[in-house]
Amino acid sequence: MDEVLEITEEQFTVALAIPNEDFVYRQVPLTELDKESARFPLPANFTIKYSRGEKELSVSWSAHTSVQQVFEVIGLSANMKGEFKDIKRYKVFSLPVHFLRDVEGIEKVVHSPVFNGNPAPIGSPNIYAHASIFFPESEQVEIRKKLSTYCQQNYGASYCEVDIASLEARVEALKARADNTRYHRCLKNEPPQITVTETVY
Amino acid sequence: MSSYTKEPNESLLSTNSHYTSYNKLGEGYRVANNQQDDYITHPIVIGNINNAIRDIDSLSAVRSLYSVTGNLKVGYDALPDFKRVRILSRPAVGSGYIQIGVSGIRQMRAAIKQPIDAIIDRAEKIKALAFDWDDDGALPIETALVDASVEFLKQYYNYVSQHYNPIELPEISPCPDGSIDLDWHTPNAQLLINIRKDNAGEDYTAYYYGDKHNNKVQVKGSTPVNEFAEHLAVWMKYLK
């Protein structure tokens, strides 16, 4: 049975307004070095690779995803070696949008859906909930520090705890479906409607 | 008699027997030997036990024990975290001295060196990171950048500790863009220093932001790592 996201291709091209009351989820890869750290997440976990052409910090908008779905997308994404990412190596933190917009230097928090195809290639799922935090490179030190401090000081609320074992099972089931998942398929664009108007003389 | 061995900078402890006075260290500063252990006795003024213990890297630094709080007989577990140095007992109020066993000083010295060693160990691990070390396309960290960052840290850490007060050591972390973070978060203040190649791509620059929490008393800017930014060093005294 096909599993299709109830969103059209065209909707991926339309950025919706993110209300202040919502949250965004930041996925943080947990390295061996991070495991030695007394604190987590660190400012380094909020780095934008400007030198590699990145211009934004990627997050997921809570209105169109859940923590479980964030992990599912991670598990269906390929790393640089072409292997699926290991969800056990990730942690997810939620950040309130109003907090982000109050941080001096953050220019905008916007919806930025990622559409890779219909169906999307295996390893590169579509991410309708994708959102972006923009801040200039000149402000990155202050902003990275403030984002990590928020997560550390509000760890209980910010850290998104999940049952990783059941999620792994879910991700394995999704992988078995290849590109036949809601992360790879969405609704085709509807053909243009022809409206006939009757003119009465 | 304990098996304490003389070391070059510890001559003040080397010849004592029972409660010998040592005027070199100031009035009231005595070294004693009982049958269990050698210990030194210090007069006490108000200060912070953690800061004082952190300074014991040589016997001359033991003078900083003048800053130990209250009338304490100090015991210690040589744990790598300064905050976990344990006060074992409190002698009678009014004695005005702190007693620290000589072997304990060695243990504490070992404990003191551990955090710095840990930073150096961690720096070596950072050097070994290969491309894609975070499974998300992270860039490797240049060896020269890691070395420059450690030297930068030592320079500021030593300056602040000598001129103002001992400060916490930071978390040293690799960033996915190939730069290095030195990250402090203390009860008093927070500071992030990011060290990377400058825009010209030749020399290393330290970009920093700090505050005394809630955006108070901010410090922000950048400095070449081969220059000494005294205003930054002065601000770093808050990182205690």
Side-chain angles (χ1 to χ4, degrees):
Chain A
M1 181 180 160
D2 288 352
E3 193 179 355
V4 175
L5 185 66
E6 296 291 317
I7 296 243
T8 65
E9 294 171 6
E10 190 175 355
Q11 282 178 277
F12 272 87
T13 65
V14 180
L16 305 175
I18 301 180
N20 275 340
E21 309 81 70
D22 285 1
F23 291 81
V24 292
Y25 299 116
R26 169 68 180 167
Q27 61 190 60
V28 176
L30 184 67
T31 66
E32 289 304 311
L33 281 171
D34 288 327
K35 290 175 186 170
E36 297 172 1
S37 300
R39 291 178 278 117
F40 192 80
L42 292 170
N45 299 120
F46 296 92
T47 300
I48 298 176
K49 295 195 279 283
Y50 294 100
S51 59
R52 302 282 284 191
E54 289 184 4
K55 298 187 186 320
E56 63 194 63
L57 189 69
S58 286
V59 290
S60 297
W61 178 14
S62 63
H64 294 281
T65 193
S66 63
V67 177
Q68 287 74 17
Q69 287 171 341
V70 170
F71 276 98
E72 287 175 7
V73 170
I74 295 169
L76 293 174
S77 300
N79 61 19
M80 306 291 283
K81 301 186 201 87
E83 301 161 346
F84 285 116
K85 292 180 178 176
D86 180 358
I87 62 170
K88 292 195 297 296
R89 291 189 57 181
Y90 285 83
K91 289 187 183 294
V92 171
F93 291 85
S94 71
L95 295 144
V97 173
H98 68 83
F99 160 75
L100 294 169
R101 288 180 172 149
D102 283 346
V103 173
E104 197 176 328
I106 288 186
E107 294 168 333
K108 53 187 176 180
V109 181
V110 293
H111 184 212
S112 52
V114 172
F115 180 75
N116 290 320
N118 192 12
I122 294 169
S124 301
N126 296 324
I127 313 171
Y128 183 68
H130 188 270
S132 304
I133 303 172
F134 287 88
F135 49 85
E137 188 170 9
S138 58
E139 301 295 324
Q140 55 101 5
V141 175
E142 177 178 351
I143 290 168
R144 289 194 295 114
K145 182 62 183 162
K146 287 181 174 173
L147 298 189
S148 79
T149 297
Y150 174 86
C151 293
Q152 289 171 16
Q153 291 185 335
N154 301 278
Y155 197 85
S158 181
Y159 173 57
C160 300
E161 194 159 11
V162 293
D163 177 356
I164 206 76
S166 65
L167 267 173
E168 276 189 298
R170 170 72 183 154
V171 167
E172 288 308 312
L174 287 167
K175 284 183 195 171
R177 298 173 66 115
D179 66 1
N180 191 17
T181 79
R182 65 196 303 273
Y183 300 107
H184 298 86
R185 292 174 186 268
C186 60
L187 299 175
K188 299 284 184 191
N189 285 336
E190 290 176 14
Q193 298 286 316
I194 299 169
T195 308
V196 178
T197 336
E198 195 175 322
T199 308
V200 180
Y201 293 97
Chain B
M1 181 80 184
S2 73
S3 59
Y4 178 74
T5 306
K6 179 180 177 181
E7 293 180 20
N9 60 356
E10 297 178 343
S11 59
L12 293 168
L13 279 176
S14 63
T15 59
N16 64 90
S17 57
H18 295 276
Y19 296 93
T20 308
S21 292
Y22 282 84
N23 293 329
K24 283 183 185 176
L25 288 177
E27 188 179 352
Y29 197 107
R30 297 179 296 175
V31 179
N33 182 318
N34 62 17
Q35 293 305 305
Q36 289 79 43
D37 195 5
D38 293 333
Y39 61 92
I40 49 179
T41 309
H42 307 265
I44 294 164
V45 293
I46 300 301
N48 180 290
I49 182 76
N50 293 332
N51 292 348
I53 289 170
R54 187 178 306 183
D55 267 358
I56 312 173
D57 195 37
S58 66
L59 187 60
S60 61
V62 172
R63 293 168 198 253
S64 68
L65 286 173
Y66 281 92
S67 65
V68 171
T69 302
N71 301 307
L72 307 171
K73 181 174 182 178
V74 176
Y76 26 76
D77 288 334
L79 298 173
D81 183 348
F82 296 127
K83 292 177 181 172
R84 292 158 69 190
V85 172
R86 194 154 51 100
I87 297 168
L88 295 180
S89 64
R90 293 171 184 272
V93 173
S95 70
Y97 293 95
I98 178 172
Q99 296 177 329
I100 296 183
V102 169
S103 61
I105 290 172
R106 286 167 155 177
Q107 290 176 43
M108 284 192 286
R109 186 182 300 122
I112 288 156
K113 285 184 177 174
Q114 276 182 322
I116 294 170
D117 287 346
I119 282 194
I120 293 168
D121 289 347
R122 194 169 158 91
E124 292 302 314
K125 290 178 185 172
I126 291 171
K127 288 178 188 175
L129 294 171
F131 175 71
D132 198 27
W133 50 264
D134 66 347
D135 211 23
D136 212 17
L139 302 177
I141 316 294
E142 289 179 4
T143 296
L145 173 61
V146 178
D147 290 339
S149 301
V150 171
E151 286 309 308
F152 180 89
L153 170 62
K154 282 182 183 171
Q155 185 183 15
Y156 282 78
Y157 180 83
N158 290 336
Y159 179 89
V160 180
S161 296
Q162 285 167 15
H163 290 81
Y164 296 98
N165 47 260
I167 59 170
E168 301 258 348
L169 283 164
E171 191 91 45
I172 180 168
S173 304
C175 294
D177 63 355
S179 64
I180 287 279
D181 273 354
L182 303 175
D183 180 37
W184 282 265
H185 195 98
T186 75
N188 204 37
Q190 59 177 349
L191 174 68
L192 176 63
I193 299 178
N194 177 244
I195 301 175
R196 60 180 188 264
K197 279 205 167 144
D198 63 19
N199 289 333
E202 293 175 1
D203 296 321
Y204 297 123
T205 302
Y207 298 84
Y208 52 87
Y209 171 81
D211 62 37
K212 289 189 73 179
H213 300 305
N214 301 318
N215 298 325
K216 292 175 187 164
V217 196
Q218 294 181 343
V219 63
K220 185 175 179 179
S222 64
T223 180
V225 294
N226 55 6
E227 293 176 17
F228 186 72
E230 192 167 5
H231 72 282
L232 173 60
V234 171
W235 189 94
M236 287 171 74
K237 69 187 177 188
Y238 297 130
L239 298 169
K240 55 187 176 180

